[in-house]
Amino acid sequence: MIHSHAVRDHVPVRVALTGAGGGYGRTLLAQLQHTPELIPAVLIDPDVDGMRRMLAELGHDAISLVAPATGEEFRDAVASDRTVLLADATPLSWDSVDVLVEATGHVSSGTAYAEDALAHGVHVVMVSKEVDTVAGVALAAKAEAAGVRYLPGDGDQPANLLRLVDWISATGLEIVAIGKSGEYDLVFDPGTGTVTQAGVTIDAPALAEVLDLGDEPLAALSRRADLVAGLKRRAAADLCEMTVVAMRTGAVPDEESLHYPVARVAELADIYATRQDGGLVSHDGVIDVFSALRLPGEASFAGGVFAVVRTGDPVTWEMLRGKGHVVSRDGRYACLYWPYHAMGVETPLTIHAAVTGAGIAPRPRPTVLLAARAATALEPGTPFRVTGHHHEIDGVAPVMVAPDAGLAPYYLLGDARLRRRVEAGELVRLDDLEGVAPVPLAAYLAGRPTPQPKGTDQ
């Protein structure tokens, strides 16, 4: 039997999980059954009955679950090692918790939960990337001032990509581009001439003609994109995740909506070469997302993460090419990648890091803004809602742009409405909105870049 990890001997860590009834929450709670040192002490979700049903499916004893109505009942339940189920944090006593895992995906409540936790000296593992793009700078500053930690959660692509970048940077390799694949692969079946993505199938028999990049890679990529234009490949969640990474690495997008090339894994080192070497990117330090193209039966990229690096010594990398590594045809670039993100299955890593101080992520800074560009002309009074699996907002497109103190973050639009007409193609500004949630607005204003006087260096 392979030995147990040393973290199993850690003193018990009491965990509060918000958004516990969602898919991410379930994956984490399932994993915590195998990490006895991490105790799911408090689970918060508006659907308390739904949490009970989920926990029953996971094998939790119903006797160990309690829904207290007062702070005293809460403390008594935690002290007796029972799992507390709450619809909101009203009865929560933060002195009974060591780490908050915030997974609501909701900017207003998620920011409030995180601020309360930090104010009470509780570490925060931020799974809600939407919160991080709006309030992350301010929350990280509050954590630092309080002497606790604010970390993106392992298992989602931002934290995984940050780990990969840290590992590669420590080796001394020169990074050209970093990123992830879209959540769902494009699976091309040459026998039927169809492409399937997330259960949606379209006809694209001509894709067989450009399965290889050929002598003109950029032309092949353009043709592929045209052939799969009937599929929705861009998602707000992708740009949100890459904004979280950009804020912690200094990476920038080449295009505000990202390139999204339709690419096979073996091609990534060629595709993410610089333009002078026949690739897509204009300079080093680019962040991007690609649509993974594969054949039936080939392994999935699974929404994983990658980094393209310069190889340096050609002999070394020809040797590595022979061992199956992804190296560009000219030998100048290589792609290192992790083809997975296992959601809450990996998040115990971050909970341990929060408590021990190991593997601290870089502090986020307002280097890139996830903003909202009007897809059509929008009239005064237009309401905005964050909806769907990818947490998108009708009427506006998410874009990664240079920070501007007057622009509204994309997810700050949620539940707000327009006070004036915004023309198609315009970026939505803070002054265009009314009814903005006050807690995340205050956090964003506290962390946004300070406008520079005209004539000063930027």
Side-chain angles (χ1 to χ4, degrees):
M1 178 178 177
I2 297 176
H3 67 83
S4 176
H5 197 281
V7 295
R8 298 289 86 79
D9 299 326
H10 198 285
V11 295
V13 176
R14 298 191 182 277
V15 177
L17 171 62
T18 51
Y24 202 106
R26 181 183 180 118
T27 62
L28 175 55
L29 289 169
Q31 196 59 29
L32 292 185
Q33 293 180 303
H34 306 287
T35 57
E37 76 285 0
L38 304 179
I39 300 171
V42 186
L43 309 181
I44 302 175
D45 194 280
D47 185 5
V48 173
D49 290 338
M51 283 196 291
R52 285 188 183 277
R53 290 191 296 271
M54 178 184 67
L55 290 167
E57 292 174 4
L58 291 173
H60 284 263
D61 185 351
I63 298 176
S64 69
L65 308 177
V66 62
T70 67
E72 183 177 354
E73 291 178 0
F74 173 90
R75 286 186 288 274
D76 289 344
V78 173
S80 60
D81 292 328
R82 302 181 74 184
T83 298
V84 174
L85 308 182
L86 299 176
D88 59 53
T90 302
L92 193 154
S93 177
W94 286 105
D95 58 6
S96 300
V97 175
D98 301 303
V99 178
L100 166 67
V101 178
E102 208 309 296
T104 63
H106 189 272
V107 169
S108 185
S109 58
T111 303
Y113 283 136
E115 287 189 340
D116 283 351
L118 295 171
H120 288 85
V122 173
H123 306 292
V124 173
V125 173
M126 182 55 68
V127 173
S128 298
K129 50 191 174 286
E130 302 85 354
V131 172
D132 204 60
T133 60
V134 174
V137 174
L139 292 173
K142 288 187 176 184
E144 188 173 283
V148 294
R149 281 166 278 282
Y150 173 82
L151 302 173
D154 282 285
D156 226 355
Q157 291 96 330
N160 288 21
L161 183 51
L162 288 168
R163 279 185 181 270
L164 178 61
V165 168
D166 181 70
W167 173 71
I168 291 174
S169 298
T171 69
L173 286 166
E174 183 180 357
I175 295 176
V176 178
I178 60 175
K180 53 161 274 187
S181 77
E183 198 75 8
Y184 303 106
D185 295 348
L186 305 177
V187 183
F188 175 62
D189 186 341
T192 62
T194 60
V195 177
T196 300
Q197 180 191 47
V200 177
T201 300
I202 63 171
D203 291 322
L207 197 54
E209 301 169 9
V210 283
L211 273 180
D212 295 316
L213 289 177
D215 296 330
E216 298 183 8
L218 298 187
L221 293 177
S222 178
R223 181 85 189 285
R224 288 176 182 174
D226 290 341
L227 291 169
V228 299
L231 296 170
K232 183 185 185 305
R233 297 189 291 115
R234 283 177 164 81
D238 293 337
L239 281 86
C240 181
E241 289 164 351
M242 294 302 92
T243 298
V244 171
V245 176
M247 290 167 62
R248 287 171 169 82
T249 60
V252 293
D254 236 357
E255 297 183 1
E256 65 175 25
S257 298
L258 308 184
H259 285 298
Y260 274 94
V262 177
R264 306 183 76 176
V265 174
E267 302 167 343
L268 292 177
D270 287 288
I271 289 171
Y272 285 107
T274 59
R275 290 175 190 166
Q276 66 186 19
D277 291 326
L280 275 179
V281 302
S282 60
H283 54 81
D284 289 1
V286 164
I287 193 164
D288 202 52
V289 174
F290 78 98
S291 296
L293 174 65
R294 64 178 176 88
L295 302 179
E298 290 183 340
S300 172
F301 203 80
V305 298
F306 73 89
V308 170
V309 301
R310 286 196 173 83
T311 55
D313 178 44
V315 175
T316 295
W317 286 91
E318 281 306 310
M319 185 188 309
L320 291 173
R321 188 202 300 274
K323 294 180 179 291
H325 288 271
V326 175
V327 181
S328 63
R329 290 179 291 188
D330 64 10
R332 297 182 180 182
Y333 301 85
C335 180
L336 301 170
Y337 60 95
W338 293 346
Y340 65 87
H341 73 297
M343 300 178 67
V345 174
E346 298 179 69
T347 308
L349 295 172
T350 330
I351 298 173
H352 282 296
V355 174
T356 64
I360 300 304
R363 180 173 166 178
R365 301 187 184 281
T367 56
V368 173
L369 177 69
L370 184 66
R373 192 175 292 283
T376 61
L378 301 172
E379 298 299 328
T382 298
F384 296 112
R385 298 287 183 272
V386 180
T387 61
H389 174 67
H390 290 296
H391 290 191
E392 297 186 316
I393 303 173
D394 287 344
V396 293
V399 291
M400 293 174 66
V401 299
D404 179 323
L407 292 178
Y410 182 81
Y411 283 109
L412 205 53
L413 272 63
D415 298 328
R417 57 191 174 275
L418 281 180
R419 69 167 78 242
R420 74 166 184 89
R421 178 181 170 90
V422 175
E423 300 296 337
E426 286 187 359
L427 290 169
V428 179
R429 305 184 69 81
L430 288 170
D431 290 346
D432 298 333
L433 300 172
E434 57 186 7
V436 176
V439 173
L441 174 60
Y444 171 66
L445 294 177
R448 69 178 176 176
T450 304
Q452 297 290 318
K454 291 183 178 180
T456 62
D457 292 335
Q458 300 297 310

